[in-house]
Amino acid sequence: FAKGDIENAVTDVERAIRWEPNSPELYRALAEIRMEKIRHLIRAAGQGTNVRNEFETTVLAARRHIERSRELNPDDPIVWRAQGQLYELIIPFVDGAEQPAFASYRKARELDPLNPSIPVELGRAGITFADRLQIILNQGNNPNQYGITQARQQALEEAGKALGDLGTQVTGFTLTPEPFEFPRFGDKAFYLIDFDYRGRAGDGRA
């Protein structure tokens, strides 16, 4: 999505919702479009643009849309995965985002236990959280250094368990060609990572 395409897509889906106000699929689609905008804002922040207000507004809108989708169809694992993806996306930037990310992926796994993508996503969220804790540790002089170290180790252990669940095996991964930075973390570089995996249902990418 280019920026204009995102806004047009939002307008189109919102128009559709006026005709189908109880469609969980439409609310999920709207949340996923907002998530794409969040990705654009993260990259813009990495280039030095102040996007804080727009970032916060977009996150709140995405949360509202995905929660409405979940209310309309609480037993749909796709909705829970989408909610997990939203919170995973903001783990590096929003305190506490890891908890709803983990909980959402676990609920999706409960509803769709044979889907090999879900353990990979859960493990990926754990690694993302561990990376955030490592950033905090690297800053030093934290009075809770030991507790953060223990939390990071636990996050990595949980990620390892998730990646080993249901026989899912990560066979490779691909980084984005260029890292991007977020001013809050100074010169820390972030990459988007695509995982290749093999599970009971076959090979895939997440």
Side-chain angles (χ1 to χ4, degrees):
F1 282 109
K3 183 174 181 180
D5 295 333
I6 290 175
E7 299 307 323
N8 290 337
V10 168
T11 299
D12 289 343
V13 176
E14 287 179 337
R15 184 183 300 116
I17 286 174
R18 287 198 290 270
W19 288 96
E20 297 185 61
N22 294 317
S23 170
E25 291 81 11
L26 288 175
Y27 281 102
R28 176 168 54 83
L30 199 52
E32 290 170 344
I33 294 168
R34 300 289 191 193
M35 281 188 265
E36 188 60 30
K37 183 174 182 179
I38 291 168
R39 294 184 183 96
H40 280 249
L41 292 173
I42 291 171
R43 287 190 171 92
Q47 296 170 0
T49 304
N50 185 347
V51 299
R52 179 172 181 175
N53 290 339
E54 192 174 5
F55 178 86
E56 292 176 351
T57 299
T58 305
V59 168
L60 288 173
R63 287 177 57 187
R64 186 172 65 251
H65 301 324
I66 201 63
E67 287 170 4
R68 180 58 178 155
S69 180
R70 195 192 68 223
E71 290 170 359
L72 291 167
N73 194 0
D75 295 325
D76 184 359
I78 297 176
V79 175
W80 286 99
R81 283 182 67 191
Q83 181 169 274
Q85 290 160 6
L86 167 60
Y87 283 104
E88 179 190 349
L89 180 62
I90 62 175
I91 284 174
F93 319 113
V94 177
D95 292 339
E98 73 281 355
Q99 292 303 325
F102 298 156
S104 298
Y105 283 139
R106 286 169 182 147
K107 182 63 176 181
R109 183 175 57 181
E110 175 187 322
L111 294 168
D112 189 8
L114 296 182
N115 188 332
S117 298
I118 300 172
V120 174
E121 291 166 338
L122 178 57
R124 186 181 61 200
I127 292 170
T128 301
F129 179 50
D131 283 347
R132 176 176 180 167
L133 294 178
Q134 186 61 57
I135 292 169
I136 296 172
L137 289 171
N138 290 345
Q139 293 171 347
N141 300 320
N142 191 297
N144 192 27
Q145 198 88 345
Y146 177 77
I148 295 172
T149 301
Q150 293 298 104
R152 179 180 179 276
Q153 184 60 36
Q154 182 178 358
L156 289 173
E157 290 174 359
E158 291 296 322
K161 291 177 184 178
L163 291 171
D165 194 22
L166 298 175
T168 304
Q169 176 185 5
V170 175
T171 57
F173 61 90
T174 304
L175 296 176
T176 48
E178 296 293 335
F180 57 93
E181 298 176 357
F182 198 82
R184 174 176 174 180
F185 299 124
D187 60 357
K188 179 68 177 179
F190 293 88
Y191 292 83
L192 297 179
I193 305 175
D194 291 320
F195 286 92
D196 298 310
Y197 62 82
R198 178 169 297 126
R200 290 181 183 175
D203 295 347
R205 170 166 283 204

